[in-house]
Amino acid sequence: MSKKGIGVFSSVALFLGLFMGIAFLASYLAVFINNGQKNFYVQYGSAELSGTENLILPLNANSIFYCKYVVPNAQGYNVKIVPSEHLVGLDFKLNGEWNMFRNDTDLTAGFDLVKCDGYFILTLDHVGVTGGGLYGILGFVYGYDAISDVPDLNLREKAYFTIAVTSHNNDTAVNINFSYGYLNGDAL
Amino acid sequence: MSSYGRKRKSGWVGAVLAVLVVAALVGALGWLSKGFQDWNAGTWFDGWFHNEEQTETDSSIGGREITALSGPLQLSSMSVETDYDVALYFNNNGGGSVNYGFSVADLSGKGFDDLSVEIQISGQFLRSDNGQMIDSYILLYPDAYDGGYVYSFFGSVPKSNNKGGYSISFIDGNVYTFGADITDWAGDGEPVGYTETLTYVSELSLPPDPTIPHYDFVGWYLDAELSVPYQGQTITSNMTFYAKFVLTTYHIYFVTGFADVSAPAAVSVTALTAGGSMPSLSHVGYTFEGWYTDTARTIPYSSTAEMTGNMVLYAKWEQSFVTVTFMVDGSVYATVQVPYGSSLSAAQAQAGLQGFSVISFSLADLSAPNVVDNVIVLNTDATIYAESMTPIQKVGSVITEHWRVLLGGILSVAVVFGVVSVFTRGKRHSKRRY
């Protein structure tokens, strides 16, 4: 190869390398900034959720929540469904004893939640609306024979539940308060 | 040599020749006097005897007196229905072999069935005193006799003081085998003209099993109704056998084409009847299209076709598809057909929605989402709700999904750049030096 040829080749290689490096860093930075400078976030559709969010989830649909890290190779997350601030403080009888909803009461078993690597699917069916509402959900959690005096709540009115998502090391938490919506595609 | 000597010698030779001529004449006379039997030097045929002691020369065989030894031996009956008598003893008192002849005749007039085709005498034997069997040749020729047939055979007795007997087999359309059972061998008071009973010594030898296409031969039966099977009984009379057949049973075997789909048990079908309908199969993600008779699944099985042999049926499958509708911002963006079991992301790619983020999906049968190996699998018609990602999200999505490839590319370029730089610098330095 001639001296001139080597020079051209090295210039092109340098240009490409710099360009790709800059592009990579720029996009990486953009994503990071767009995420509110938080490493862990939850993507729901085009919305990137962090901190505390409020959603109306469709009925009879499988809502997908992607748990992402700005740092690509980070993995893992924790998810559970707990009472939201609207439900905390209310009480019901469990095995004959009064029991109060607290913000750490795990109600995950009352929902169809499928946890996968990088995302989870929450399916809201009619149980929450016509199948007994909160009673139906608690029935799944504790057993119907064990509960009584459950508050009669309209789960469409308020976001009584919270999807509590945390990063794998629990450093970052995303709380998604949700209420029951309508069939997907229908007007909410 | 003197003339005297020559005269003496010629006289001696003449005397020898004279003796030989006399002996030849005596032999010829003896041979002529004995009629039927051949004569061998040093052997004299003393006649036929009907007892072992060879004292009774007034033979009567089968109740018929033999009047001429050279004549045919007539049996009282040659029918298989009746025992018949034969007797033949002879004695060779000479030191050499003697030929003998013997004939059997069918006086029933019926003849032996198909004897014109073949007659075979087997087991014919000559027995010496020491019990040794002696081979002899047999000459056969059928000849008309009294409306029946005469069969003659001849043998040779090479030793003296031999006794003879025989067994014969007649092979015609059926096979009947007879043998001589010489009784009253010692002549213990039986009347003159004793008889020997020719007994049945062998069962019927059945022909090879007959074959008819698509039928199985069951066996021979003794009645036309095929209710009485022949079970190897001794044949004592003319008999008719009836072959019994049943239709062959064929089998239909199945090949499903899927290791996790068990093949139905083989079906038994009577030959020349229709196989009928075959079991249906099911397999997740596929539609059973029916059974085919070839591995290429081009010739469908006919349930009305007559079975003419064993058969292998191959299941034909068609892959099932599900309809996936993509909704974006409340409107139908695309509707695609994807194979049953496709991943949601595959359906999304087929619909051209790579730049969209799925927010939720509804399954037509309201079933729970099916996740296999961390991938959402579509086993039923589905509606997918998606939102368009922002440009930054798209870039981020690409980086997130392909960050390893991107990083590798950048590093590769950097390495190439570094190597080229070092190389070119080295060149410059060396040029300056010189």
Side-chain angles (χ1 to χ4, degrees), chain B residues 218-230 240-244:
Chain B
V218 177
W220 295 105
Y221 281 68
L222 302 178
D223 59 330
E225 291 74 27
L226 304 175
S227 61
V228 182
Y230 171 66
T240 301
F241 290 83
Y242 300 87
K244 182 177 181 178

Side-chain angles (χ1 to χ4, degrees), chain A residues 6 9-10 13-14 17 20 24 27 31 43-46 48 60-64 66 72 116-117 119 121 123 184, chain B residues 357-362 369 371 374-376 385 387-389 392-393 395-396 399 403 410 413 416-417 420 423-424:
Chain A
I6 293 172
F9 178 77
S10 59
L14 176 62
M20 293 187 70
F24 178 78
S27 58
V31 171
Q43 183 174 330
Y44 177 66
S46 59
E48 293 170 355
N60 282 344
N62 309 287
S63 299
I64 305 176
Y66 296 94
C116 307
D117 291 344
Y119 67 96
I121 304 170
T123 304
N184 222 333
Chain B
S357 177
V358 174
I359 187 170
S360 66
F361 61 97
S362 298
V371 179
N374 209 49
V375 173
I376 298 173
Y385 299 89
E387 292 179 347
S388 178
M389 290 189 289
I392 292 177
Q393 284 178 327
V395 172
I399 293 173
W403 67 271
I410 292 170
V413 171
V416 170
F417 174 74
V420 171
F423 178 75
T424 52

Side-chain angles (χ1 to χ4, degrees), chain B residues 26-206:
Chain B
V26 171
L29 288 172
W31 182 82
L32 289 173
S33 65
K34 300 305 177 185
F36 164 70
Q37 294 299 330
D38 291 339
W39 176 86
N40 291 301
T43 300
W44 294 95
F45 182 72
D46 280 352
W48 296 101
F49 297 85
H50 62 75
N51 62 343
E52 190 175 16
E53 292 74 19
Q54 300 170 6
T55 57
E56 298 293 339
T57 57
D58 188 11
S59 298
S60 176
I61 300 175
R64 177 181 178 276
E65 184 177 348
I66 297 176
T67 55
L69 290 177
S70 60
L73 176 65
Q74 297 180 1
L75 304 180
S76 59
S77 172
M78 205 56 192
S79 166
V80 294
E81 291 90 355
T82 307
D83 290 340
Y84 58 94
D85 304 322
V86 295
L88 176 60
Y89 293 134
F90 56 88
N91 184 35
N92 179 8
N93 288 322
S97 61
V98 62
N99 295 334
Y100 72 96
F102 185 69
S103 300
V104 293
D106 169 28
L107 300 183
S108 68
K110 295 190 295 186
F112 303 112
D113 292 342
D114 299 328
L115 277 179
S116 59
V117 176
E118 183 183 15
I119 180 170
Q120 184 182 63
I121 297 175
S122 63
Q124 191 272 345
F125 65 92
L126 296 173
R127 191 182 66 185
S128 64
D129 281 344
N130 60 8
Q132 183 181 4
M133 302 298 291
I134 302 170
D135 293 335
S136 67
Y137 70 88
I138 299 169
L139 193 62
L140 284 174
Y141 58 90
D143 191 11
Y145 180 81
D146 290 345
Y149 294 90
V150 176
Y151 305 94
S152 301
F153 56 95
F154 301 88
S156 176
V157 183
K159 281 187 171 182
S160 63
N161 200 27
N162 284 329
K163 303 176 183 64
Y166 68 95
S167 65
I168 56 176
S169 297
F170 299 97
I171 298 176
D172 50 21
N174 294 318
V175 178
Y176 303 98
T177 302
F178 301 92
D181 181 13
I182 300 172
T183 60
D184 193 25
W185 180 262
D188 54 354
E190 289 290 326
V192 174
Y194 70 94
T195 62
E196 287 79 34
T197 301
L198 187 67
T199 57
Y200 176 85
V201 296
S202 175
E203 293 181 355
L204 176 68
S205 177
L206 297 175

Side-chain angles (χ1 to χ4, degrees), chain A residues 11-164:
Chain A
S11 300
V12 171
L14 176 62
F15 175 76
L16 286 176
L18 289 175
F19 176 79
M20 293 187 70
I22 292 169
F24 178 78
L25 293 174
S27 58
Y28 191 82
L29 187 63
V31 171
F32 189 76
I33 293 171
N34 189 59
N35 191 41
Q37 299 182 355
K38 291 185 182 298
N39 188 35
F40 177 74
Y41 65 99
V42 175
Q43 183 174 330
Y44 177 66
S46 59
E48 293 170 355
L49 311 178
S50 59
T52 301
E53 305 279 354
N54 294 290
L55 293 177
I56 301 174
L57 298 182
L59 197 61
N60 282 344
N62 309 287
S63 299
I64 305 176
F65 298 86
Y66 296 94
C67 301
K68 295 185 175 182
Y69 289 85
V70 175
V71 178
N73 60 350
Q75 290 181 346
Y77 65 95
N78 306 298
V79 60
K80 64 181 180 179
I81 297 177
V82 297
S84 70
E85 59 180 0
H86 299 297
L87 190 57
V88 170
L90 300 180
D91 52 12
F92 65 102
K93 276 189 175 178
L94 176 62
N95 296 320
E97 300 291 332
W98 285 104
N99 191 54
M100 190 181 73
F101 290 104
R102 299 189 298 270
N103 54 11
D104 61 349
T105 304
D106 193 345
L107 300 176
T108 310
F111 295 87
D112 292 325
L113 190 146
V114 179
K115 186 183 178 191
C116 307
D117 291 344
Y119 67 96
F120 63 87
I121 304 170
L122 177 61
T123 304
L124 294 187
D125 55 22
H126 282 86
V127 170
V129 179
T130 60
L134 182 58
Y135 177 80
I137 294 171
L138 292 181
F140 278 108
V141 179
Y142 302 107
Y144 291 101
D145 294 338
I147 58 175
S148 61
D149 297 311
V150 176
D152 185 16
L153 303 175
N154 184 351
L155 302 183
R156 277 178 170 154
E157 277 185 354
K158 294 181 180 177
Y160 287 105
F161 305 101
T162 297
I163 305 172

